[in-house]
């Protein structure tokens, strides 16, 4: 139901004209023609003024409010695109803006819920697929042995090793899922301490050097460094660099190199892992930190991994107040980098304030 400003304006104008004419009729000697003219002029002037005021100040905004409520009732949020918040003295306009703002927030919540529902469905499908692969592989080997192959010692050992490898992959997947779940839920607390990140990187290089040699790749620092103290969780940062370097080795071609470097600033240190692999196109960069997201699904299975490494990296780095920056060009390789503070920022502020005093 919409209010009609014209009908209200006619009633008010008629009332004003009657009151005005009644007062003039009290004057001695005034003619009927003068009273009729006064009535007409007062009625028309009042009608024009009141209708303009009602239309532009009240009823237009009231009708807009009713339109918004009707659209909200019909779950039609198309009007949100027309909303522009402007300062105004009109209380009805402010009410209308509040309604628009409320509807816009609700629309955002609905879109986020839809996005999360789609993400949840995709995640469940991915988890089911990832769990199914090692389980079915192990089942196949074990049932083959039960069907008689167990009597052949060479076949038995070969199949048991393959079944064990499949179960190891399953354990790795479950552990990564639990780690990611605990980090996202805030159940894993970071244990911050000062340590030499250069020594940590040397440990990573020692651990992964064998993998690099198998692909005839070099794993090295970009140059020589003095010890570099950072303030972070040693074990989690070790996990981050292991994952980044492992990914770099996995997706790089043979006879290339993976280079780890540092940019040392006054307050922080930027750690980078650079490879000469196939690179990542822009549409994939936005999603590579999603759980189970793989750029080339057909080839990624052969390279192993759970598909959760970069998701874990993202959450650990964000828990350190930083973010992972990816720069990449297709055919030229990729660089993953993040920053860590060089000292306890809270303690540093306290020291600075004490010195100022």
């Amino acid at each position: 139901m919409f209010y009609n400003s014209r009908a209200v304006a006619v009633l008010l104008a008629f009332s004003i004209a009657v009151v005005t004419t009644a007062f003039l009729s009290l004057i001695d000697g005034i003619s009927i023609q003068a009273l009729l003219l006064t009535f007409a002029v007062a009625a028309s002037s009042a009608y024009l003024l009141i209708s303009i005021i009602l239309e532009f100040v009240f009823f237009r905004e009231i009708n807009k409010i009713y339109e918004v409520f009707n659209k909200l009732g019909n779950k039609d949020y198309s009007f949100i695109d027309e909303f522009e918040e402007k300062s105004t003295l009109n209380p009805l306009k402010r009410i209308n803006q509040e309604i628009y703002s409320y509807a816009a927030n609700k629309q955002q919540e609905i879109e986020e819920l839809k996005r999360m529902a789609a993400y949840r469905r995709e995640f469940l499908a991915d988890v089911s697929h990832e769990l199914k692969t090692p389980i079915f592989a192990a089942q196949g080997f074990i049932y083959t042995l039960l069907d008689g192959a167990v009597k052949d010692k060479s076949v038995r050992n070969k199949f048991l090793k393959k079944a064990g490898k499949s179960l190891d992959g399953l354990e790795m997947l479950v552990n990564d899922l639990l780690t990611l779940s605990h980090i996202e839920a805030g159940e894993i607390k970071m244990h911050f301490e000062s340590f030499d990140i250069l020594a940590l990187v040397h440990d990573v290089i020692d651990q992964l050097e064998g993998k690099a040699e198998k692909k005839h790749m070099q794993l090295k620092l970009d140059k020589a460094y003095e010890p570099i103290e950072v303030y972070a969780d040693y074990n989690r940062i070790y996990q981050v660099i292991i994952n980044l370097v492992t990914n770099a080795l996995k997706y790089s071609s043979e006879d290339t190199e993976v280079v780890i470097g540092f940019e040392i600033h006054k307050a922080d240190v930027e750690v980078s892992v650079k490879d000469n692999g196939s690179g990542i196109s822009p549409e994939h960069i936005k999603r590579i930190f999603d759980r189970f997201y793989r750029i080339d699904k057909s080839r990624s299975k052969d390279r192993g991994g759970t598909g959760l490494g970069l998701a874990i990296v993202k959450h650990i780095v964000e828990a350190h107040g930083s973010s992972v920056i990816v720069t990449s060009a297709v055919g030229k390789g990729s660089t993953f980098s993040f920053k860590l503070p060089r000292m306890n920022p809270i303690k540093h502020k306290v020291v600075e304030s004490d010195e100022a005093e």
Side-chain angles (χ1 to χ4, degrees), residues 260-271:
I260 305 170
F262 302 97
E263 279 193 26
I264 305 169
H265 307 286
K266 183 176 180 181
D268 55 50
V269 175
E270 182 175 340
V271 186

Side-chain angles (χ1 to χ4, degrees), residues 25 31 72 137 146 148 157 168 173 201 243 278 291 324 334-335 356:
S25 66
S31 64
L72 286 174
L146 291 175
N157 291 338
D168 287 342
L173 174 61
V201 167
N243 279 331
S278 56
R291 289 175 284 193
V324 184
S334 307
T335 301

Side-chain angles (χ1 to χ4, degrees), residues 26 39 65 145 250:
L26 298 176
F39 180 85
I65 291 172
L145 291 172
K250 191 186 303 180

Side-chain angles (χ1 to χ4, degrees), residues 200 203-204 207 233-242:
L200 182 152
D203 287 344
V204 170
Q207 182 173 340
D233 184 317
Y234 181 94
N235 292 326
R236 295 300 170 188
I237 296 302
Y238 187 89
Q239 190 175 6
V240 165
I241 296 177
I242 279 280

Side-chain angles (χ1 to χ4, degrees), residues 65-308:
I65 291 172
Y66 270 93
E67 286 178 4
V68 170
F69 275 121
N70 284 335
K71 288 183 177 180
L72 286 174
N74 295 326
K75 297 182 179 180
D76 176 11
Y77 297 95
S78 58
F79 63 91
I80 291 174
D81 296 333
E82 305 168 7
F83 171 66
E84 288 185 15
E85 190 171 352
K86 297 178 181 178
S87 58
T88 176
L89 297 175
N90 188 335
L92 291 175
K93 277 191 175 182
R94 288 204 298 269
I95 292 172
N96 216 355
Q97 287 177 352
E98 288 294 328
I99 295 171
Y100 269 80
S101 179
Y102 172 80
N105 290 334
K106 287 299 174 186
Q107 178 65 7
Q108 287 178 353
E109 290 178 10
I110 290 169
E111 293 300 325
E112 181 64 16
L113 287 172
K114 287 181 179 177
R115 190 186 70 81
M116 292 304 295
Y119 183 77
R120 185 164 54 250
R121 287 193 298 270
E122 183 181 342
F123 174 68
L124 288 174
D126 286 337
V127 169
S128 301
H129 178 73
E130 296 291 338
L131 290 172
K132 179 177 68 176
T133 302
I135 290 173
F136 280 10
Q139 278 182 326
F141 295 130
I142 291 171
Y143 282 127
T144 301
L145 291 172
L146 291 175
D147 288 341
V150 69
K151 295 177 181 178
D152 187 329
K153 186 176 180 180
S154 60
V155 172
R156 180 179 64 207
N157 291 338
K158 181 180 177 182
F159 276 29
L160 284 175
K161 285 180 180 177
K162 288 186 175 182
K165 189 175 180 180
S166 296
L167 293 175
D168 287 342
L170 180 61
E171 182 187 22
M172 187 189 305
L173 174 61
V174 172
N175 287 336
D176 280 353
L177 278 171
L178 287 173
T179 299
L180 190 58
S181 175
H182 289 325
I183 292 174
E184 290 179 343
E187 295 175 5
I188 294 181
K189 302 299 180 184
M190 299 294 160
H191 302 287
F192 293 93
E193 60 180 332
S194 292
F195 61 89
D196 179 10
I197 194 169
L198 183 62
L200 182 152
V201 167
H202 279 300
D203 287 344
V204 170
I205 291 174
D206 289 341
Q207 182 173 340
L208 297 178
E209 205 164 26
K211 286 187 177 181
E213 288 175 355
K214 285 181 181 179
K215 293 185 70 175
H216 307 288
M217 295 178 64
Q218 275 192 307
L219 176 55
K220 63 178 186 178
L221 290 166
D222 61 345
K223 63 180 182 180
Y225 293 95
E226 296 293 326
I228 306 169
E229 290 288 321
V230 295
Y231 186 76
D233 184 317
Y234 181 94
N235 292 326
R236 295 300 170 188
I237 296 302
Y238 187 89
Q239 190 175 6
V240 165
I241 296 177
I242 279 280
N243 279 331
L244 291 179
V245 174
T246 299
N247 266 11
L249 292 171
K250 191 186 303 180
Y251 294 102
S252 294
S253 304
E254 292 188 359
D255 299 314
T256 58
E257 59 184 21
V258 173
V259 180
I260 305 170
F262 302 97
E263 279 193 26
I264 305 169
H265 307 286
K266 183 176 180 181
D268 55 50
V269 175
E270 182 175 340
V271 186
S272 63
V273 177
K274 181 180 179 182
D275 65 60
N276 301 111
S278 56
I280 307 167
S281 56
E283 66 269 21
H284 291 302
I285 287 178
K286 298 176 182 178
R287 295 204 59 194
I288 57 174
F289 295 101
D290 290 352
R291 289 175 284 193
F292 298 117
Y293 186 78
R294 289 185 171 95
I295 296 171
D296 186 347
K297 294 182 184 293
S298 61
R299 296 179 64 193
S300 295
K301 286 290 182 185
D302 298 332
R303 292 182 170 126
T306 63
L308 297 171

